[in-house]
Amino acid sequence: MATEGVNPRTPAPPAGSARRAIVGRLSWGLADQAASSLTNFAVGIHVARSLGLAAFGAFSLAWVTYGVVLSVSRGLATDPLMVRFSGVSDVSWRGAVARSSGTALGVGAAIGAACLVVGSALGGPVGTAFACLGVMLPGLLLQDAWRYAFFAAGTGRKAFVNDLVWGLALVPAMVVAARVGSVAAFVLAWGASATVAAACGCLQSGIRPRSSGAREWLREHRDLGYRYLVENVSNSGAGQLRAYGLGAIVGVSAVGVVRGAELLLGPFLAVLMGLSLVTVAEAARVLRRSPHRLGTFCLLLGGGQAAAALLWGAALLLVPDRAGELVLGGVWHSASELIVPATLGVAGAGLGTGAAAGLRALGAARRSLRSQLFASTCYVGGGLGGAAVAGTIGSAWGVAAATVCGSAVWWLHLRSALRRRRQDSVPEVRTT
């Protein structure tokens, strides 16, 4: 019996050159995410300092919603691309990218229209933020699709340049938004600069997104795409449900406090997200070339991220109040109380990403879906249960405990998948 989605093994290159190639691709992933996360960090800090806590909470709700929509786009468009078109021929890659980027653009247009309608109905700062997000979603999702396309091809430097373009375009956009001084202005500035980078991606790749190819793409990769859609949405949707529930239980200001704590962990989260851009592609390459090394690769990946998160959290505890206020303004005092539980939660997530990369490389979509659904259920339960018991700090501790439990389940499923693959690869011995 064949294992789900496993690619045929290809000859392994010399160990030294393979390690150098992996380090090079991971380095570009880190550099790209550093540029992207610094951009997001700067936006968050600027908005937190320019607007009040309640307005920052409204902006954060739009931000969290964008994360859910991004998960939809990745599940349907770019995750199948990373699994099945990493390290393939240029002709295959270009055809796949045209259809996957067209799918991302279509997702942005469809959900953007829905956000525009919902935002107009809601009204107020939150409704305005949602309506503006709806207008900007196509450009935001297309920009993200180019990043994944470049990493699938092993050309992370192009993704890095694309994110630099976004960052440079943000500077004048943020200046204008600050003068206007509204949530809508900041959402529009953020999305418009991403659209500039999306247009640059078309020039970098020489590929025009084919929205007409979206149906074909979804049909060809429905075995992975729909499972990854549910998996991704359950992940980011859990964050959104927690944010909405926290706002209902404690208040919208509590959402701003949680977002402030996330900003404090921003530099490390940049590392975590940067690695996530390339880990699935790298795990797929390890599987094709040296299948027996996949488990070790995933363990080193997850363990290294968890250790780095703990070190960063320890460093945050040493930051003096004056420096914290300089960065986050009035949000600092409330956000600093969440450093310890937020750090533990990120460490648990980092440990789990190693196993997640292995399951996706194996194409074990059923196992990864089960793991993610369990983790997401724990996340929402812990976050809202903790909020009901002890407010914002209780929500943070509930999420930390849930993340560690979810990570354990990811690793149990990876262990089972690797054992199953080894059993399937053993040739059957017949006796007469």
Side-chain angles (χ1 to χ4, degrees):
M1 182 183 296
T3 304
E4 288 182 76
V6 174
N7 293 314
R9 182 175 177 178
T10 57
S17 62
R19 282 194 295 268
R20 286 193 296 272
I22 291 175
V23 170
R25 288 189 292 267
L26 290 176
S27 297
W28 278 116
L30 290 173
D32 170 73
Q33 191 59 42
S36 176
S37 294
L38 284 174
T39 296
N40 293 337
F41 182 74
V43 171
I45 294 298
H46 196 52
V47 175
R49 292 179 61 85
S50 300
L51 303 175
L53 192 57
F56 183 55
F59 180 86
S60 298
L61 286 175
W63 188 287
V64 171
T65 302
Y66 159 71
V68 176
V69 180
L70 190 62
S71 296
V72 174
S73 175
R74 288 177 176 175
L76 294 176
T78 54
D79 283 342
L81 179 76
M82 292 289 280
V83 171
R84 289 180 168 161
F85 295 92
S86 293
V88 300
S89 68
D90 185 65
V91 174
S92 297
W93 175 82
R94 293 180 70 84
V97 169
R99 288 174 288 147
S100 67
S101 59
T103 303
L105 197 58
V107 169
I111 302 182
C115 286
L116 186 59
V117 172
V118 172
S120 301
L122 285 175
V126 174
T128 303
F130 271 76
C132 293
L133 176 65
V135 174
M136 295 291 105
L137 273 177
L140 284 163
L141 298 189
L142 182 58
Q143 192 274 338
D144 186 74
W146 290 130
R147 296 173 69 206
Y148 276 73
F150 293 140
F151 279 110
T155 54
R157 62 185 180 278
K158 291 186 177 181
F160 174 71
V161 170
N162 193 269
D163 272 320
L164 281 183
V165 170
W166 187 1
L168 292 174
L170 257 176
V171 175
M174 285 290 111
V175 171
V176 174
R179 290 180 178 176
V180 176
S182 67
V183 175
F186 281 108
V187 174
L188 290 173
W190 168 53
S193 54
T195 302
V196 172
C200 179
C202 296
L203 297 176
Q204 287 177 286
S205 63
I207 299 172
R208 185 173 64 181
R210 281 180 50 206
S211 297
S212 60
R215 182 176 299 179
E216 178 187 358
W217 178 264
L218 295 175
R219 184 176 62 253
E220 289 179 353
H221 305 287
R222 62 181 178 272
D223 58 325
L224 295 182
Y226 292 119
R227 287 195 178 103
Y228 288 158
L229 168 64
V230 176
E231 181 181 329
N232 290 353
V233 170
S234 68
N235 182 22
S236 57
Q240 188 175 28
L241 288 175
R242 182 216 180 180
Y244 290 162
L246 188 61
I249 296 170
V250 184
V252 176
S253 297
V255 181
V257 172
V258 170
R259 176 60 184 156
E262 291 173 352
L263 287 173
L264 292 175
L265 289 161
F268 172 75
L269 290 174
V271 175
L272 185 64
M273 294 298 295
L275 289 174
S276 70
L277 285 170
V278 293
T279 48
V280 175
E282 290 306 319
R285 289 184 176 96
V286 171
L287 179 64
R288 285 197 295 268
R289 295 169 179 170
S290 305
H292 62 285
R293 295 179 179 173
L294 181 62
T296 302
F297 173 82
C298 294
L299 182 60
L300 291 174
L301 180 66
Q305 290 179 91
L310 294 175
L311 290 173
W312 182 261
L316 286 176
L317 293 174
L318 303 177
V319 175
D321 287 340
R322 182 174 298 179
E325 292 172 358
L326 183 64
V327 174
L328 287 181
V331 180
W332 161 256
H333 288 288
S334 299
S336 62
E337 296 177 357
L338 307 184
I339 289 176
V340 173
T343 298
L344 293 176
V346 172
L351 184 62
T353 56
L359 285 175
R360 290 208 166 184
L362 288 165
R366 293 179 182 176
R367 291 184 182 276
S368 62
L369 176 58
R370 292 173 195 151
S371 301
Q372 186 57 64
L373 288 176
F374 177 85
S376 297
T377 302
C378 288
Y379 183 93
V380 174
L384 297 186
V389 173
T392 308
I393 186 68
S395 179
W397 278 108
V399 165
T403 306
V404 173
C405 292
S407 177
V409 171
W410 277 105
W411 278 100
L412 287 174
H413 273 287
L414 177 62
R415 181 183 178 186
S416 298
L418 290 173
R419 184 186 298 118
R420 175 66 177 276
R421 188 182 190 283
R422 283 194 294 268
Q423 291 173 351
D424 291 341
S425 64
V426 175
E428 183 180 2
V429 178
R430 296 182 180 272
T431 58
T432 57

